[in-house]
Amino acid sequence: MDKKGQVLAFDFGGGSGRAILGRLEDDKIRMEEVYRFSNDPVTINGTMYWDTLRQFFEIRQGMMYANQKGGFDSVGIDTWGVDFGLIDAHGELLESAVHYRDQRTVGMQEEVFRALSKEEIYEITGNQFENFNTIFQLYALVKKRPWLLERADTLLLTPDLFNYFLTGKKRAEYTMASTTQLLDAKHKIWSERILKALGIPKSILPVIVPGGTVIGTLTEEIREELGLGAAKVIAVAGHDTQSAVVAVPTQEKDFIFISCGTWSLFGTELYAPVIGKQSLTCNVSNEGGHGNTTTLLKNIIGLWLVQESRRQWIREGQEYSYGELEQMALTAEPFVSFIDPDAPEFVPAGNIPKRIRKFCERTGQKAPQSVAEVMRCINQSLALKYRYALEQIESCTGKHYEVIHMIGGGIQSKLLCQMTAGASGRRVIAGPVEATALGNIVMQMIALGMIQDVAQARSMIAKSETTYDYLPQDVSAWDAAYEKFQMYIEER
């Protein structure tokens, strides 16, 4: 039932995943969501896991539904970064992937820096330091569960793991490899210096391939069971941020973006990494992008704060839609209190509104009490943290950006888009919402020869998608708020 010119993208987020068919029509990219599923972590004996086998079951379901819609020529998978599964010598998964929000990495940065200095690690990798990075997850295994690494034959990051399940081929896609803090950013190879210093066996790390590589075709077993054709499995830009960057609808060489969702990734596309004293001080990350580009970015907690607050209010018997929460935020007095969205207490799941109040009390501010006040605090703090990140990136690149492109699901919040324009004093162009899925789809189409390159893909996306402009308002008030906000940033 294969329909030539139709590709299937799987886009995994922190709470759900989707299977989306993409095709070309009249020089535009058309998408159709054929399957949506929940993606919930599971905590067992104090460890938070991804339900890896269930995730793969949902991929198979998505392929089955896509086949009923005319079939597909290829499959591409994108997910979050850093997390991985371990495969033994017999090709079997040793255990479900541990969630990056799990607490096993607490204290691991300090342990790693005893073996290798922070400065040397950054000089090699150019990665922003975060507790959940793969380097710290693996060092937790070295220290606490060395037998697991001894049994491992191959480490596969999440989309690479699913590509292996689909094809039997073990490869490491470049954009995902660049999230690990184990990759030499300048030479684009695994860093032997880091691996040796930390006792991580290099033998478990697979060959790195660029995004857009055809890994193989679906295994005969999968094809027979689901009645599928010999669809290609393509290693798209597996890191969802990098798939989203491909879909920024611009022809400008120098542009800056916010990929806005559970996390906010604020960055710019470059042709070489920026690694030095200033970028280390700013703790910005050099991550691999399509076609050997580098994305210089800052990883910021995003709408997780809203999502987890909403879950807490539901637990308390108050269920609000996101639209209702946005309207409530507008009723609260502006610029009363601020948080640093990236303070460590906001990373784990739990009672975020309570933690926000504690942060404000600890820093001598009036603590927000009502739902409206908490929502106002979150949104204005995110917008101001975006300005902070913008200034850091401009200081590292020596460039000035007049326009901020906001992409991803978070742009459905008109409040956050307008606040971002006000806080930054820059014009904001919002769209597309489905940037990650679009980037996944066009990378498959490039690999199949349906689209020439990323420049053509971005031009087609600009024709296919509607964008919205937000102009700065109340700039002087935002400038005054920014002076106050900077007092509460806890840079690590």
Side-chain angles (χ1 to χ4, degrees):
M1 293 182 66
D2 287 345
K3 182 177 180 179
K4 295 298 181 184
Q6 197 157 251
V7 304
L8 178 60
F10 284 94
D11 176 27
F12 278 82
S16 65
R18 299 167 307 152
I20 299 173
L21 282 170
R23 61 186 180 275
L24 296 180
E25 275 184 16
D26 302 323
D27 205 32
K28 293 183 179 180
I29 298 162
R30 303 299 186 192
M31 298 190 299
E32 179 185 3
E33 182 180 301
V34 295
Y35 186 57
R36 180 180 286 264
F37 50 91
S38 177
N39 182 29
D40 302 302
V42 180
T43 299
I44 303 173
N45 294 329
T47 298
M48 181 181 285
Y49 297 95
W50 293 108
D51 195 348
T52 304
L53 299 182
R54 181 74 191 186
Q55 290 167 338
F56 186 62
F57 169 81
E58 301 293 9
I59 289 173
R60 294 162 68 103
Q61 291 293 102
M63 290 193 298
M64 181 183 71
Y65 285 112
N67 197 42
Q68 295 170 4
K69 294 284 188 175
F72 49 93
D73 295 329
S74 64
V75 181
I77 300 169
D78 67 75
T79 75
W80 57 94
V82 308
D83 289 341
F84 58 87
L86 295 172
I87 304 297
D88 69 15
H90 302 287
E92 301 296 331
L93 182 67
L94 287 172
E95 67 175 10
S96 284
V98 176
H99 198 293
Y100 62 83
R101 293 192 192 276
D102 183 71
Q103 296 299 292
R104 67 176 172 171
T105 55
V106 172
M108 283 300 115
Q109 287 200 49
E110 294 75 15
E111 292 275 348
V112 165
F113 296 155
R114 292 190 187 101
L116 202 61
S117 73
K118 180 177 183 178
E119 291 74 16
E120 185 171 0
I121 293 172
Y122 190 81
E123 176 64 27
I124 294 169
T125 69
N127 279 146
Q128 179 178 349
F129 288 93
E130 298 277 12
N131 271 339
F132 50 68
N133 288 352
T134 314
I135 186 175
F136 304 119
Q137 294 195 43
L138 279 172
Y139 203 58
L141 294 183
V142 169
K143 288 294 185 179
K144 303 173 184 177
R145 304 178 70 198
W147 59 87
L148 194 61
L149 286 177
E150 290 168 6
R151 292 179 58 196
D153 178 75
T154 310
L155 178 150
L156 292 171
L157 293 152
T158 308
D160 302 324
L161 181 65
F162 295 142
N163 290 342
Y164 164 65
F165 290 161
L166 291 173
T167 67
K169 305 290 180 61
K170 302 171 187 174
R171 299 290 186 272
E173 188 274 322
Y174 169 57
T175 70
M176 284 298 296
S178 74
T179 71
T180 62
Q181 211 159 39
L182 299 171
L183 188 77
D184 184 318
K186 295 171 184 174
H187 299 98
K188 299 179 173 60
I189 58 175
W190 299 117
S191 171
E192 293 193 21
R193 172 75 176 114
I194 292 176
L195 296 171
K196 184 176 180 181
L198 301 183
I200 299 169
K202 183 183 178 183
S203 60
I204 68 173
L205 298 173
V207 172
I208 298 170
V209 298
T213 298
V214 177
I215 299 296
T217 57
L218 296 175
T219 64
E220 187 174 341
E221 177 187 3
I222 290 174
R223 289 160 56 186
E224 287 184 0
E225 181 180 347
L226 300 179
L228 305 176
K232 293 180 172 66
V233 176
I234 298 173
V236 297
H239 187 205
D240 50 12
T241 300
Q242 298 307 325
S243 274
V245 172
V246 170
V248 175
T250 182
Q251 294 299 304
E252 296 292 326
K253 180 180 178 182
D254 291 322
F255 64 89
I256 202 158
F257 68 89
I258 308 173
S259 180
C260 189
T262 301
W263 290 89
S264 292
L265 291 305
F266 197 124
T268 186
E269 187 175 271
L270 304 172
Y271 294 92
V274 175
I275 300 175
K277 184 177 179 181
Q278 180 64 16
S279 60
L280 173 59
T281 300
C282 293
N283 196 23
V284 293
S285 199
N286 292 268
E287 293 188 4
H290 70 90
N292 281 330
T293 58
T294 294
T295 304
L296 185 72
L297 58 80
K298 187 79 173 181
N299 196 13
I300 303 167
I301 285 185
L303 295 178
W304 162 257
L305 295 171
V306 175
Q307 295 161 355
E308 194 64 9
S309 293
R310 179 173 179 266
R311 280 188 278 269
Q312 178 61 33
W313 290 319
I314 290 173
R315 287 191 287 268
E316 295 172 358
Q318 299 173 296
E319 185 162 354
Y320 306 105
S321 70
Y322 288 113
E324 288 172 330
L325 290 174
E326 185 170 319
Q327 290 303 309
M328 292 168 76
L330 288 168
T331 67
E333 184 180 352
F335 309 133
V336 173
S337 54
F338 308 93
I339 59 169
D340 179 358
D342 294 313
E345 59 261 43
F346 299 131
V347 175
N351 192 336
I352 294 295
K354 181 179 180 180
R355 294 176 199 167
I356 288 172
R357 295 185 191 101
K358 286 187 175 181
F359 182 99
C360 292
E361 290 166 356
R362 173 168 59 83
T363 53
Q365 303 179 78
K366 181 181 177 181
Q369 299 299 322
S370 69
V371 172
E373 289 169 346
V374 170
M375 285 298 299
R376 182 83 196 197
C377 178
I378 289 172
N379 280 278
Q380 67 192 18
S381 297
L382 279 174
L384 291 165
K385 193 62 184 278
Y386 293 161
R387 173 171 172 173
Y388 185 75
L390 172 64
E391 292 180 356
Q392 287 186 313
I393 291 171
E394 288 186 333
S395 75
C396 292
T397 63
K399 299 176 181 179
H400 177 79
Y401 305 91
E402 289 290 343
V403 174
I404 299 173
H405 289 272
M406 288 185 72
I407 55 178
I411 68 169
Q412 295 174 93
S413 171
K414 295 179 181 179
L415 173 66
L416 183 57
C417 292
Q418 185 59 62
M419 284 186 168
T420 301
S424 66
R426 313 290 168 91
R427 174 188 172 204
V428 167
I429 300 176
V433 172
E434 299 289 357
T436 304
L438 278 164
N440 182 323
I441 285 166
V442 299
M443 285 203 73
Q444 292 185 64
M445 290 180 172
I446 292 169
L448 295 175
M450 299 164 60
I451 296 176
Q452 183 177 348
D453 54 24
V454 169
Q456 184 186 12
R458 285 174 172 160
S459 177
M460 296 175 73
I461 289 168
K463 295 175 185 175
S464 306
E465 298 293 314
T466 301
T467 59
Y468 300 90
D469 277 23
Y470 295 85
L471 299 178
Q473 297 176 4
D474 304 320
V475 174
S476 59
W478 279 104
D479 286 344
Y482 186 58
E483 292 297 317
K484 293 171 62 178
F485 170 76
Q486 290 180 86
M487 299 167 54
Y488 308 115
I489 294 174
E490 301 180 349
E491 196 65 71
R492 285 156 296 286

